[in-house]
Amino acid sequence: MFEPLMTTSTIVFAFIFGLVSSLASHLLMKFLAKLPANPQTLPRGTMGLLPFFGETLGFLKPHSSNSLGTFLQDRCLRYGRVFKSHLFGSPAIVSCDFELNMFILQNEEKLFQAYYPKAMHGILGNYSLLVVSGDLHKKLRNTIVSFISLSKSQPKFLWCVEKLLISMIKSWNDRTEVAFFKEAKTLTLSFMVKSLLNIEPGEPLASEILEDFETYMKGFVSLPILIPGTSYYKAVKARKRLSSIVTEIIKERILKKQVGLGDDEDDFLDLILTKENLSDEEKLSIVLDILLGGYETTATLMALVVYFIGHAPHVFEILKEEHESIRQSKKDGEPLNWEDYKKMEFTYHVTCEAMRCGNVVKFVHRKALQDVKFKDILIPSGWKVFPIFTGVHVDQSLHDKPHEFNPWRWTDKEMRKKVTPFGGGPRLCPGADLAKVVIGFSLHHIVLNYRWKTKADDFPLAYPYVEFQRGLILEIEPASS
């Protein structure tokens, strides 16, 4: 006679199934409670199959960074450039519309507020410029802006950048291939660490910081599971190690100042330490934010510029002519200066076009602080809002042949009003100008020394942050050949 057996695995399965069902029901009720009473005023769209995950996985699916990707493209075709969705655990409005994006960015702290997933706070810390808001954001941002203003034209900083660039270029002698993205990351972090913390690039501590930053970045797009071995866990641990390193450097700097052993010339860390309106945690966070921006954003933009030039030989030739002219106006071995940078007009256009085509920042996270009506669109209070910068940069109504890399389009001064590569409003990236200076100096030495080609299967991917399929492997040869 047959009798059904309730095995341990069956009991566990039944328990888990009941728990998941209850949780799903609870989340569904919370989700429905957030919906406005009059959904007809919302943009069209779908919320996905599961209330919590919604369409997040499709939204984050990697794609070429100079395109919308299938998720956004399909929904823009189906629902228009503004649509509703369910992303990162919340009902959301997604905008690929330029006017709405500018409206959102310009109404920061009035109608909208930065609102990143809680898991990112574990990696960035509670005082990161990315997650704080209001007066605290203004205070921290002003401190960082002072660093940018102090550094970007300062001969000491410019010489540090150029010295490291020359060293990188010399290391390419007798090589036929270069993993450029890795080289760019090492370069940018090296001069930021030297300028900010006075750590020489060859020191073991500099290598430790670089390794931790690479681990740190991988955590941004990982599942927020704080279990040993996961990318998120490793990123949180890497952030703690970086915090410990910077904290020790700050303590040593304070001690040296107290006993009169400090350098006669103050650097930026000294300036931070003199600001009495900043707490120790805020000072630490400012240093980490500057290092992160200098490392990731600048290196990514540098790699994108080199990638697009590699696919545009005519751009390379014009660029080379500009830098030959600058070099001919200087003595042998004379370093570049701020006046030289201001002559790099075509270089500036190339950099801006690489930002538009490559999309260093694909989107930002915002939340509506109240019910917001824009034209005939309702954005309910509490909903997440995602201005998609890529959507604006590939918009045919704004840009002629938007997928074509064309630096000459930037001769039109109206172009800067049609793009948002570094955000906008009060949260415009404070490091954008510094990145452009570094790119200008980098291109000067690269185009005067080498030509290059990229691999056919090596292109920028949005993860959503930019990565290259193979690390941007360049096939190089001397420019003279």
Side-chain angles (χ1 to χ4, degrees):
M1 184 170 130
F2 175 79
E3 286 187 20
L5 298 175
M6 287 294 285
T7 64
T8 302
S9 59
T10 307
I11 295 170
V12 170
F13 175 79
F15 173 75
I16 292 174
F17 180 79
L19 185 64
V20 170
S21 299
S22 299
L23 180 61
S25 299
H26 175 68
L27 290 171
L28 179 61
M29 294 303 292
K30 287 185 70 176
F31 168 70
L32 292 174
K34 288 184 179 180
L35 292 175
N38 183 15
Q40 285 76 24
T41 57
L42 285 169
R44 294 183 301 151
T46 58
M47 295 298 198
L49 298 175
L50 294 174
F52 185 75
F53 292 105
E55 299 184 307
T56 307
L57 296 180
F59 180 70
L60 293 177
K61 185 179 179 180
H63 60 87
S64 174
S65 75
N66 63 339
S67 72
L68 276 176
T70 54
F71 177 87
L72 290 172
Q73 189 172 346
D74 289 349
R75 279 151 186 78
C76 284
L77 288 172
R78 196 183 308 170
Y79 307 119
R81 300 191 70 80
V82 181
F83 58 91
K84 68 180 179 182
S85 184
H86 196 273
L87 303 170
F88 302 97
S90 172
I93 300 296
V94 181
S95 170
C96 293
D97 178 78
F98 177 68
E99 288 187 41
L100 177 54
N101 285 5
M102 292 306 297
F103 177 77
I104 294 165
L105 296 174
Q106 290 168 357
N107 281 282
E108 177 82 22
E109 300 297 340
K110 300 173 186 174
L111 303 176
F112 304 95
Q113 189 176 68
Y115 194 81
Y116 286 83
K118 296 287 185 185
M120 288 188 71
H121 293 237
I123 302 176
L124 290 167
N126 293 326
Y127 292 97
S128 171
L129 199 63
L130 201 62
V131 299
V132 297
S133 57
D135 291 339
L136 179 57
H137 177 267
K138 290 178 184 177
K139 180 175 72 170
L140 300 183
R141 188 180 188 279
N142 287 341
T143 305
I144 293 176
V145 168
S146 69
F147 167 72
I148 305 304
S149 301
L150 176 73
S151 299
K152 69 179 183 182
S153 60
Q154 191 179 60
K156 182 180 176 182
F157 175 78
L158 297 179
W159 171 233
C160 174
V161 171
E162 189 165 21
K163 183 180 176 182
L164 289 167
L165 275 165
I166 292 170
S167 177
M168 180 184 77
I169 293 295
K170 285 183 177 178
S171 74
W172 296 0
N173 290 344
D174 302 321
R175 293 165 67 181
T176 57
E177 284 191 350
V178 171
F180 187 78
F181 201 15
K182 183 178 180 179
E183 298 254 353
K185 288 180 177 181
T186 302
L187 172 76
T188 53
L189 188 63
S190 293
F191 68 68
M192 293 306 297
V193 164
K194 172 60 179 172
S195 301
L196 195 55
L197 303 175
N198 200 26
I199 298 173
E200 294 295 336
E203 291 183 35
L205 189 56
S207 299
E208 287 180 36
I209 292 173
L210 176 60
E211 186 177 341
D212 278 333
F213 262 107
E214 289 175 346
T215 304
Y216 186 48
M217 285 304 302
K218 290 175 183 176
F220 282 105
V221 289
S222 62
L223 290 173
I225 302 171
L226 198 60
I227 297 174
T230 64
S231 294
Y232 182 76
Y233 179 87
K234 291 176 182 177
V236 171
K237 290 296 182 182
R239 204 267 181 190
K240 288 181 178 178
R241 286 194 299 272
L242 288 166
S243 298
S244 297
I245 290 171
V246 174
T247 299
E248 284 304 309
I249 292 171
I250 289 174
K251 287 179 180 178
E252 288 178 15
R253 186 69 62 90
I254 292 172
L255 185 60
K256 284 182 178 180
K257 289 287 183 183
Q258 288 173 344
V259 298
L261 295 177
D263 294 332
D264 293 333
E265 187 177 351
D266 288 346
D267 59 16
F268 182 66
L269 183 57
D270 293 318
L271 294 178
I272 292 177
L273 298 180
T274 61
K275 292 188 176 292
E276 296 180 357
N277 66 328
L278 295 174
S279 69
D280 290 345
E281 274 294 316
E282 289 167 353
K283 291 172 184 176
L284 171 64
S285 192
I286 285 172
V287 172
L288 291 177
D289 276 351
I290 293 173
L291 288 174
L292 178 61
Y295 160 72
E296 182 64 25
T297 308
T298 307
T300 301
L301 179 55
M302 189 185 299
L304 288 168
V305 169
V306 167
Y307 170 80
F308 286 114
I309 294 172
H311 289 263
H314 59 300
V315 171
F316 175 89
E317 294 301 334
I318 302 298
L319 204 56
K320 189 179 178 186
E321 288 176 13
E322 178 171 87
H323 287 280
E324 284 176 338
S325 175
I326 292 170
R327 181 46 55 191
Q328 288 166 7
S329 69
K330 304 183 74 65
K331 298 176 183 177
D332 287 346
E334 184 183 352
L336 294 169
N337 56 40
W338 182 248
E339 292 303 315
D340 296 321
Y341 170 70
K342 291 195 290 186
K343 296 175 185 175
M344 300 178 186
E345 185 175 347
F346 188 65
T347 301
Y348 176 78
H349 293 162
V350 169
T351 304
C352 291
E353 183 68 349
M355 288 192 292
R356 184 192 69 83
C357 291
N359 298 289
V360 176
V361 180
K362 178 181 175 180
F363 63 90
V364 291
H365 294 248
R366 296 292 183 266
K367 182 177 77 170
L369 297 175
Q370 61 188 61
D371 284 350
V372 179
K373 190 88 179 214
F374 179 80
K375 296 183 177 179
D376 59 346
I377 297 168
L378 170 68
I379 304 175
S381 177
W383 277 42
K384 292 288 293 287
V385 185
F386 294 92
I388 309 294
F389 299 153
T390 312
V392 172
H393 297 164
V394 298
D395 188 345
Q396 293 184 356
S397 68
L398 294 171
H399 312 291
D400 182 43
K401 299 178 181 177
H403 295 285
E404 181 179 299
F405 182 73
N406 176 16
W408 288 273
R409 72 174 83 236
W410 288 86
T411 56
D412 178 5
K413 292 183 179 179
E414 294 298 308
M415 263 300 297
R416 66 188 64 190
K417 299 178 182 178
K418 302 176 186 177
V419 295
T420 51
F422 282 112
R427 286 184 177 268
L428 178 67
C429 176
D433 287 342
L434 188 65
K436 291 170 187 173
V437 174
V438 174
I439 302 301
F441 275 45
S442 301
L443 287 179
H444 178 82
H445 288 282
I446 294 172
V447 301
L448 291 181
N449 286 279
Y450 288 98
R451 296 176 182 273
W452 62 91
K453 294 179 182 177
T454 64
K455 303 286 187 182
D457 60 346
D458 200 6
F459 52 88
L461 289 168
Y463 270 91
Y465 66 85
V466 176
E467 276 289 351
F468 283 83
Q469 190 90 333
R470 296 178 59 183
L472 189 55
I473 305 296
L474 303 182
E475 297 176 0
I476 61 172
E477 62 179 24
S480 57
S481 64

